[in-house]
Amino acid sequence: MRMVGLTVSDMNRSVDFYTRVLRFTKASDAEVAGPEYETLDGVEGARLRVVRLRLGDELLQLTQYLTPRGHPFPADSRSNDRWFQHVAIIVSDMDQAYARLRHFNVKAASTAPQLLPKTIPNAAGIRAFYFRDPDGHYLEILQFPPDKGDPKWQRSEGRLFLGIDHTAIVVRKTAASLAFYRDALGFRVAGESMNFGIQQEHLNNVPGARLHITGLRSRAGPGIEFLEYLSPPGGRDYPAGARSNDLVHWETTVVVPDVDSAAALLQRDNFRVLSSRPAELPDSALGFSRGILARDPDGHVIQLVEP
């Protein structure tokens, strides 16, 4: 995976939040428009400002649609809705990171940082906390114990915010999502966990939460984590008709050798390709030459690109 991106309503406000509060640094800032960008995103008359932010080795891409504006983030969103997606930002000290979020009056989505117990062996010792950015997107800070996660997350070198370990998405059925990410796109399963109990309920802010979690990895970059809620029922489907300029939009960018072949494979397996054809971008502002957007079985957007 190359990176994760999300649509924002006010770029200056979002850049200030991510750089000042979470210590990302700006890697690039571009404004783009034209028919090929409209083809890629499926939004007519699109003019976009795209900012890439860096934290450690990872990138986060923010996109503001200057025209046309989309819909706001659903105000009543819950962590078990199937449009839920976040990035897990690794910290070296949870208490310091939580205090910093409190200092900046960041909106909490968990009751407090949670220490996952020994009754969840594959997650025991992990500390995590959900919160929201200025547009309402969910984010997570996470601290791994020494026996879990990539060893690089134990090398803080004096930094508090270290990088992005993965993006997490709510899925209806793990098997269907594996058919998309593992079988069609080549991700590998890196681990699984059954998470439940009072700490998990307070992390997700969902009473009775019981989750089947599956972590996937590609050859490089952040991973993808499936969150399948076994209980409670009632998680809502991805909004019908949502487009790239709506604030519910996240996209996970994956590099493929050939976009045409990747699109044909997805269409053969009855997955939805959003772009009418591969977009041939006129410049290198977005860091790739050709790309398409597709939806996974639950509506989450994947951007497949050629370098």
Side-chain angles (χ1 to χ4, degrees):
M1 183 206 299
R2 173 175 285 182
M3 63 186 172
V4 182
L6 61 157
T7 299
V8 303
S9 64
D10 182 328
M11 184 62 77
N12 292 336
R13 181 181 67 170
S14 293
V15 168
D16 178 71
F17 172 81
Y18 282 95
T19 58
R20 187 162 58 98
V21 180
L22 302 176
R23 297 301 192 190
F24 284 77
T25 58
K26 186 186 286 189
S28 64
D29 189 340
E31 188 172 315
V32 298
E36 292 303 311
Y37 292 102
E38 296 175 17
T39 296
L40 176 65
D41 292 339
V43 177
E44 292 185 5
R47 177 171 289 275
L48 303 81
R49 182 181 172 192
V50 182
V51 173
R52 286 186 178 174
L53 302 176
R54 181 176 295 279
L55 186 64
D57 298 327
E58 291 78 42
L59 293 171
L60 182 69
Q61 181 169 290
L62 308 180
T63 300
Q64 179 185 354
Y65 280 78
L66 304 174
T67 60
R69 295 278 180 157
H71 296 294
F73 195 83
D76 61 343
S77 289
R78 300 187 299 265
S79 298
N80 60 333
D81 292 323
R82 277 179 286 278
W83 61 79
F84 177 93
Q85 182 164 357
H86 75 232
V87 289
I89 299 167
I90 306 305
V91 300
S92 58
D93 186 304
M94 177 59 72
D95 293 329
Q96 288 187 29
Y98 179 58
R100 184 174 179 82
L101 297 184
R102 294 286 299 271
H103 172 76
F104 284 100
N105 296 313
V106 172
K107 184 177 181 180
S110 302
T111 56
Q114 300 298 311
L115 174 64
L116 299 184
K118 293 180 181 179
T119 51
I120 310 174
N122 290 343
I126 290 174
R127 299 187 71 193
F129 175 73
Y130 284 7
F131 60 104
R132 311 283 284 270
D133 80 354
D135 284 306
H137 301 107
Y138 286 88
L139 301 168
E140 179 184 37
I141 49 173
L142 187 150
Q143 183 177 8
F144 283 115
D147 64 332
K148 290 183 174 65
D150 191 311
K152 77 174 185 176
W153 301 131
Q154 302 301 322
R155 300 188 293 269
S156 68
E157 299 173 346
R159 295 173 297 137
L160 179 57
F161 299 99
L162 305 182
I164 296 171
D165 181 74
H166 63 268
T167 183
I169 58 175
V170 170
V171 305
R172 182 188 296 272
K173 293 293 183 184
T174 297
S177 296
L178 285 173
F180 183 87
Y181 289 95
R182 182 192 61 192
D183 302 341
L185 297 183
F187 283 77
R188 61 177 176 83
V189 174
E192 293 184 87
S193 180
M194 288 289 184
N195 286 25
F196 58 91
I198 192 68
Q199 295 88 352
Q200 192 69 44
E201 294 179 22
H202 281 273
L203 174 62
N204 301 99
N205 211 359
V206 176
R210 186 179 184 90
L211 292 83
H212 177 201
I213 298 178
T214 305
L216 293 91
R217 293 280 169 179
S218 59
R219 287 179 292 180
I224 296 177
E225 187 174 88
F226 299 161
L227 308 176
E228 180 186 351
Y229 277 81
L230 305 178
S231 65
R236 293 166 292 179
D237 290 338
Y238 202 97
R243 300 196 301 167
S244 300
N245 58 335
D246 295 327
L247 297 190
V248 74
H249 179 86
W250 289 74
E251 61 187 37
T252 301
T253 298
V254 177
V255 178
V256 296
D258 181 74
V259 165
D260 298 279
S261 297
L265 177 62
L266 293 178
Q267 290 171 327
R268 184 201 70 185
D269 293 339
N270 297 315
F271 296 118
R272 185 181 174 195
V273 175
L274 300 179
S275 307
S276 59
R277 58 174 174 79
E280 309 275 353
L281 300 188
D283 51 50
S284 60
L286 299 188
F288 60 91
S289 58
R290 304 180 77 233
I292 61 167
L293 295 186
R295 289 199 186 275
D296 77 1
D298 294 291
H300 303 289
V301 175
I302 299 293
Q303 181 172 248
L304 302 178
V305 305
E306 293 177 11

